[in-house]
Amino acid sequence: MAPSNDPVKFVEEAIVEHQKRVLNFYKSVWKRVKSYLTPLQKFLKNVLSAAKDLAQTVGKKVISQLTDTIRAILNFLSPIEKLLKDIIQLGKRILATIRKKVDKNEVIRFLKTVVRKYIETFKKIVGLITDLWRELGILDAALAVFNKFRLVLSMAFGWFDQVTGVLTAIGKVRKQLQKAIKSLLKERKEALRLVKDVAKLKLS
């Protein structure tokens, strides 16, 4: 239990622990996910450049779903990266303020605003990562259909063998994200509790 003369100590402890987990996710999971998904850009270019010819074999619907899903997945990468960097910076700002400011009323006013922003940022991260995981499932299914024509298409398109590598990468990413999402959802519950506790802090 936090000592009565330090009403914001529990916030500092909570943010320290949360930042450790966010940094671990960013360095251990997210950077690996990005490295697996970045080659999709080259794969998308190949599919688009041969779209008309590919459609004759697999159908326009498959090509359309494939390209739309890859674009959607690639569009998730920058926003998630930015939000992760934002929350790391916000965490540093919160901790620096708690540790430097002597006036606890000033700190409490600051926390009531910034901790809410911190948690809103985290909720966005969890939401986007969950959406990314769903899109990867759609892409996995679309590529499985695409891959059925591998024998024919690999003879016509030298790059078609990339499909196997892409399918393997997507499988790895989905597995990693599925595990991470369970932890992130638990973190989100704890984060929402922190917002409520900070809201209860009273000025002296």
Side-chain angles (χ1 to χ4, degrees):
M1 191 173 177
S4 58
N5 65 341
D6 193 356
V8 299
K9 186 68 179 173
F10 78 93
V11 183
E12 180 183 1
E13 291 170 350
I15 296 294
V16 165
E17 287 306 309
H18 193 262
Q19 283 280 288
K20 281 181 188 174
R21 292 189 286 269
V22 169
L23 279 166
N24 182 60
F25 174 80
Y26 180 65
K27 291 177 180 177
S28 303
V29 179
W30 181 246
K31 285 192 173 181
R32 203 177 304 133
V33 165
K34 268 187 71 182
S35 71
Y36 280 134
L37 295 182
T38 301
L40 278 175
Q41 290 174 332
K42 185 180 177 183
F43 181 70
L44 176 61
K45 283 180 184 176
N46 287 330
V47 173
L48 288 172
S49 66
K52 286 183 182 179
D53 294 328
L54 289 168
Q56 289 175 6
T57 304
V58 301
K60 286 183 180 179
K61 189 177 178 182
V62 172
I63 297 299
S64 179
Q65 185 184 36
L66 191 64
T67 54
D68 288 351
T69 308
I70 292 174
R71 282 195 189 100
I73 288 166
L74 292 172
N75 285 339
F76 276 111
L77 302 185
S78 292
I80 293 173
E81 176 85 10
K82 183 182 183 303
L83 286 169
L84 283 167
K85 287 179 178 177
D86 286 349
I87 202 168
I88 290 166
Q89 289 307 311
L90 275 173
K92 288 178 181 177
R93 188 178 160 206
I94 290 167
L95 294 174
T97 302
I98 291 172
R99 290 163 182 170
K100 287 178 184 176
K101 297 282 184 184
V102 177
D103 185 342
K104 291 299 176 189
N105 283 337
E106 193 178 340
V107 173
I108 289 169
R109 287 191 195 97
F110 168 83
L111 290 177
K112 283 177 181 285
T113 301
V114 182
V115 168
R116 192 183 302 113
K117 185 178 179 183
Y118 182 93
I119 301 310
E120 285 301 317
T121 302
F122 185 67
K123 281 166 64 181
K124 286 177 186 174
I125 291 168
V126 177
L128 285 175
I129 287 171
T130 304
D131 289 343
L132 172 59
W133 180 78
R134 288 196 192 104
E135 288 289 339
L136 285 166
I138 295 168
L139 180 58
D140 193 40
L143 278 172
V145 173
F146 202 49
N147 205 33
K148 286 178 182 177
F149 301 92
R150 184 180 173 186
L151 189 61
V152 176
L153 294 176
S154 59
M155 288 189 288
F157 306 99
W159 54 266
F160 195 83
D161 285 338
Q162 290 175 15
V163 174
T164 305
V166 171
L167 276 166
T168 302
I170 289 167
K172 288 179 180 177
V173 170
R174 286 194 80 218
K175 193 174 180 181
Q176 287 180 359
L177 288 183
Q178 188 170 22
K179 188 178 178 182
I181 285 167
K182 287 181 182 178
S183 300
L184 290 169
L185 289 172
K186 185 181 175 184
E187 292 276 344
R188 188 175 66 179
K189 284 183 183 177
E190 292 175 9
L192 291 170
R193 215 173 294 132
L194 178 63
V195 172
K196 289 178 182 177
D197 290 341
V198 169
K200 291 175 187 174
L201 286 171
K202 288 182 170 55
L203 300 172
S204 56

